[in-house]
Amino acid sequence: MHTSESAIDTHCPYCALQCGMRLRPEPGGATVAVEERTDFPVNRGALCGKGRTAPAVLSSRVRLTQPLVRTHAGQLEPATWEEALDAVAEGLARTGRTHGPDAVGVFGGGGLTNEKAYALGKFARVALRTSQIDYNGRFCMSSAAAAHQRAFGLDRGLPFPLADIPRTGCVILVGSNLAETMPPALRYLTELKAGGGTLIVIDPRRTRTAEQADLHLAPRPGTDLALALGLLHLIVAEGRVDEEFIAARTTGWEETRAAAMAHWPELVERITGIPVPRLREAVALFCAPESAMVLTARGPEQQSKGTDTVGAWINLCLATGRAGRPLSGYGCLTGQGNGQGGREHGQKADQLPGYRKLTDPAARAHVAEVWGVDPDSLPGPGRSAYELLDALGTDVKALLLMGSNPVVSAPRAAHIEDRIRSLDFLAVADVVLSETAALADVVLPVTQWAEETGTTTNLEGRVLLRRRAITPPPGVRSDLDVLHGLAARLGVEKGFPTEPEEVFEELRRASAGGPADYSGITYARIEAEQGVFWPCPQGPEGPEGPGGSEGSPGTERLFLDRFATDDGRARFVPVSHRDAAEVPDADYPLLLTTGRVVAQYQSGAQTRRVDELNAAAPGPFVELHPRLAARIGAVEGSPLAVTSRRGRAVAPARITDTIRADTVFMPFHWPGEGRANTLTNPALDPTSRMPEFKVCAVRVEPA
């Protein structure tokens, strides 16, 4: 263990940067002080306010410290762990006996460690025998994952380390506000510019990130696909295509070129609202240097055409030879802390550990052998996240939920809250009494980042080790303990260890030979090497790595020699623009887009319990342009009602000229009447099953 006078080197519990930090236990040992850890290469000591204040959630004043069971009178009351686990096991087993195994659902989270995500997927398929498992990471970057798989044959958020970004010639950043969502990462863009590189930001709002840009394009929400196609049209028309790269390393170019040529610049201007000269300027900036990157985040991904939208940006990289080469490529900025690893090891509806497909007989056989079960006993793919939540109370009658708060975070949230309330049985394992946990029949208080050891995989594909720094309060157990206890009560006595490293050793075997191969990674290597990039197969003599010479060094940069497809070539996929699932009309004449603010995180279940963060961002708001405010009679700070076809939200007006006049913005961190996801549209991408969080039709009026 790397310590310094009892300080523990570990990582932040929040976003996918997984910033390094040092924790020093304070007198009494109940909490810790956060110190800089300048040796970790991702953040080099920098931390945002969320990371600095993360220990506040360790306080018994704000977190759960004992199990709760709902009484016949309808109240959640303290219970013993034995009573609580008995109640959960009986609730799940009773439902399975009465209605069949697929009437029991499991919903996980992108903040769970790799060990917990792996164990949860195994628990669903081995102990419960249900196909009905998915996780909130489906709401994070599933469209980018699907596009990655389709084009490159492999999905890893960034195919290169963050350190490559300042060394490239140009970055197009699509739908990301790094300055607020990942503040320590903003330095990579400022270093890019300081070194002579250029930054293009695409966002309907002039965010703090967009203010750093050499060129800011503000398209109408839902038109990112048309924008990418328009840029590719210009690249072809201006003779900027890399024909040699296309011939040597890709397939499908002719069909893709034909699709792009149907999106001429004047048409794209009408669709997006971006003038043709600005489109030409973007092409010139992107194509001028030898190397360039496109990075996307939730903006283009959380759309009912998110996979095709990301695919269009990938096509832009391929057409210009900006993929599979040093300092170039397409990458996705993963959101949640373990959004990458969380989907690699089995808590996603269609996947087994190692990023294997649940429908692949060889994958089923390999994982079943590791698990000691018959491959035929493993259920097939289940419902995606929103479809699973939508089926609650009808087809799925009992739910075990870990590390997620869909009452706030799911689209069409009022409907999902109703679905959750209609369940025969709900068990929630969480750190705090979230809005979803408050509806449960049983609430299980579990350990959090500083109280447990486990691995996460950051947005670069770097597998990291969080280390336990303090002892959890009495009455709190780890998620691994919970799954062990439940499995035993369901008749599965073995196969669910409680020690994280033991679980990781099994994960290594289960992932071996898969696309996300962790078999060459060990806790010791992660500590010695500041994280290990996957894929990292085990060498013939073991996983020792660079120091032991026989193990794989890991794969810091993907695709430099070949892409992960059968023939080693990247796939162009022809796509065409189509409208969002909802477009403005007379009843709902405006567009709503949603996002985050710097002081809060995701559904706010944890950050809303930190005084310093609440002082900085106390509640929801509606951001709108002065012209729109004048037209509807809105006044700064006065309550505005935003109404969609799914419901109504009320929050104070924030009037600013940094947003398009046809668009309003709401952050999604809060419950209650200001809940932005009351409004959002659950229209799903046909490939990724990602809901269309980022665009829906609304009307706005003073409340």
Side-chain angles (χ1 to χ4, degrees):
M1 184 184 300
H2 187 134
T3 64
S4 174
E5 298 178 2
S6 79
I8 310 295
D9 282 359
T10 189
H11 297 273
C12 177
Y14 291 114
C15 81
L17 281 181
Q18 287 298 281
C19 291
M21 58 169 59
R22 185 162 291 138
L23 300 182
R24 189 175 300 280
E26 295 190 325
T31 188
V32 291
V34 172
E35 299 176 352
E36 287 188 358
R37 182 179 160 195
T38 56
D39 63 317
F40 185 63
V42 171
N43 61 310
R44 291 176 264 164
L47 292 169
C48 74
K50 295 185 291 291
R52 286 189 295 97
T53 61
V57 188
L58 297 168
S59 168
S60 297
R61 182 175 57 84
V62 301
R63 57 92 60 86
L64 293 164
T65 57
Q66 56 188 337
L68 303 173
V69 174
R70 197 168 297 279
T71 66
H72 292 299
Q75 302 299 312
L76 284 172
E77 298 289 350
T80 67
W81 267 99
E82 297 306 305
E83 292 168 339
L85 291 173
D86 287 347
V88 175
E90 172 55 24
L92 300 178
R94 181 177 62 247
T95 302
R97 287 194 305 268
T98 305
H99 302 286
D102 277 358
V104 181
V106 176
F107 199 84
L112 300 181
T113 62
N114 290 318
E115 292 80 0
K116 292 191 280 189
Y118 171 84
L120 188 62
K122 181 181 179 182
F123 176 81
R125 294 176 175 112
V126 172
L128 296 175
R129 300 290 182 91
T130 181
S131 68
Q132 299 303 303
I133 175 172
D134 211 76
Y135 83 128
N136 64 14
R138 177 80 65 169
F139 300 158
C140 175
M141 55 172 290
S142 56
S143 292
H148 248 135
Q149 292 276 13
R150 201 162 69 175
F152 305 134
L154 183 70
D155 158 45
R156 197 180 83 186
L158 293 180
F160 40 72
L162 284 162
D164 282 1
I165 293 175
R167 300 166 57 211
T168 193
C170 178
V171 169
I172 299 181
L173 185 66
V174 190
S176 170
N177 183 13
L178 272 182
E180 299 206 49
T181 59
M182 297 180 172
L186 189 64
R187 67 166 44 171
Y188 292 103
L189 300 181
T190 57
E191 290 171 4
L192 165 78
K193 294 187 64 180
T198 54
L199 173 64
I200 301 169
V201 172
I202 297 169
D203 197 306
R205 305 163 63 222
R206 192 172 74 245
T207 62
R208 287 171 53 195
T209 308
E211 288 174 351
Q212 307 292 317
D214 298 283
L215 176 64
H216 171 218
L217 305 180
R220 186 175 292 113
T223 65
D224 307 88
L225 175 51
L227 175 57
L229 286 161
L231 296 180
L232 183 53
H233 178 113
L234 286 170
I235 283 168
V236 174
E238 295 177 4
R240 299 178 183 270
V241 172
D242 189 333
E243 300 283 2
E244 184 179 343
F245 176 86
I246 289 172
R249 300 200 59 190
T250 73
T251 63
W253 168 235
E254 292 304 322
E255 297 87 348
T256 297
R257 179 174 61 185
M261 296 317 287
H263 298 76
W264 59 95
E266 292 75 15
L267 172 64
V268 171
E269 178 177 328
R270 288 203 300 274
I271 294 171
T272 65
I274 297 174
V276 172
R278 304 298 293 279
L279 301 176
R280 294 189 185 279
E281 185 181 356
V283 166
L285 289 173
F286 183 67
C287 293
E290 290 186 9
S291 59
M293 299 174 178
V294 174
L295 306 176
T296 69
R298 306 302 80 75
E301 298 162 18
Q302 288 181 328
Q303 299 186 30
S304 59
K305 53 183 183 292
T307 303
D308 284 355
T309 301
V310 173
W313 290 106
I314 291 174
N315 288 342
L316 198 73
C317 292
L318 293 175
T320 53
R322 272 61 186 295
R325 287 175 169 171
L327 307 181
S328 287
Y330 163 78
C332 167
L333 300 171
T334 310
Q336 295 190 79
N338 198 30
Q340 181 70 52
R343 70 179 179 283
E344 293 168 2
H345 298 300
Q347 65 171 334
K348 199 174 174 187
D350 54 352
Q351 285 175 191
L352 288 169
Y355 228 141
R356 288 181 159 91
K357 293 180 179 178
L358 193 51
T359 53
D360 177 2
R364 294 169 66 86
H366 174 86
V367 173
E369 183 178 5
V370 173
W371 288 352
V373 300
D374 183 341
D376 292 338
S377 72
L378 297 177
R383 292 174 172 89
S384 72
Y386 181 80
E387 292 165 304
L388 174 56
L389 295 171
D390 188 42
L392 299 181
T394 53
D395 295 336
V396 178
K397 298 181 180 296
L399 183 69
L400 172 64
L401 187 147
M402 284 188 160
S404 185
N405 188 19
V407 165
V408 178
S409 63
R412 197 186 173 198
H415 169 71
I416 295 305
E417 182 176 345
D418 288 343
R419 293 291 84 225
I420 289 172
R421 289 180 182 274
S422 72
L423 282 164
D424 293 348
F425 182 80
L426 172 64
V428 174
D430 209 333
V431 170
V432 297
L433 191 67
S434 70
E435 286 73 22
T436 305
L439 304 179
D441 296 286
V442 181
V443 182
L444 304 173
V446 291
T447 51
Q448 51 182 309
W449 62 292
E451 301 163 347
E452 61 187 13
T453 293
T455 61
T456 62
T457 305
N458 82 343
L459 75 172
E460 307 166 295
R462 188 193 302 251
V463 184
L464 303 167
L465 185 63
R466 289 189 196 157
R467 279 290 192 186
R468 173 169 164 159
I470 57 173
T471 303
V476 172
R477 296 185 183 180
S478 78
D479 301 82
L480 296 178
D481 282 306
V482 168
L483 295 174
H484 173 85
L486 292 177
R489 285 165 171 79
L490 294 169
V492 183
E493 298 287 344
K494 296 181 179 179
F496 291 91
T498 60
E499 285 301 315
E501 192 165 8
E502 187 177 347
V503 178
F504 189 80
E505 289 300 304
E506 184 181 308
L507 181 159
R508 290 177 55 214
R509 298 197 306 276
S511 73
D517 190 334
Y518 282 34
S519 61
I521 305 175
T522 63
Y523 278 20
R525 278 196 63 183
I526 295 171
E527 281 198 300
E529 299 170 34
Q530 296 280 34
V532 181
F533 290 85
W534 73 261
C536 182
Q538 182 165 306
E541 302 300 323
E544 288 82 0
S549 73
E550 295 294 346
S552 163
T555 312
E556 194 171 15
R557 294 172 181 86
L558 296 170
F559 313 138
L560 295 182
D561 299 317
R562 69 188 309 274
F563 294 97
T565 55
D566 290 341
D567 60 6
R569 289 171 172 262
R571 306 275 188 259
F572 278 104
V573 178
V575 294
S576 295
H577 174 70
R578 58 186 186 272
D579 283 334
E582 278 186 355
V583 294
D585 58 20
D587 293 325
Y588 302 95
L590 300 167
L591 291 167
L592 169 72
T593 192
T594 64
R596 288 170 46 190
V597 296
V598 66
Q600 301 288 355
Y601 182 71
Q602 305 300 70
S603 76
Q606 296 181 48
T607 51
R608 285 187 276 111
R609 287 166 168 80
V610 179
D611 292 341
E612 180 180 329
L613 300 179
N614 282 333
F621 56 86
V622 181
E623 191 175 279
L624 72 165
H625 192 276
R627 289 204 302 273
L628 174 58
R631 191 165 80 238
I632 66 172
V635 178
E636 177 74 21
S638 65
L640 286 181
V642 184
T643 307
S644 76
R645 289 178 175 85
R646 289 152 297 280
R648 178 176 185 265
V650 178
R654 182 174 292 183
I655 300 171
T656 174
D657 65 0
T658 61
I659 191 169
R660 292 176 55 97
D662 59 2
T663 302
V664 295
F665 167 84
M666 290 186 71
F668 57 73
H669 310 290
W670 289 273
E673 70 170 6
R675 181 174 59 186
N677 278 320
T678 297
L679 308 166
T680 48
N681 191 354
L684 300 180
D685 179 285
T687 303
S688 69
R689 317 309 287 167
M690 166 74 86
E692 192 153 59
F693 286 99
K694 279 295 182 276
V695 53
C696 68
V698 297
R699 66 172 180 267
V700 182
E701 57 215 342

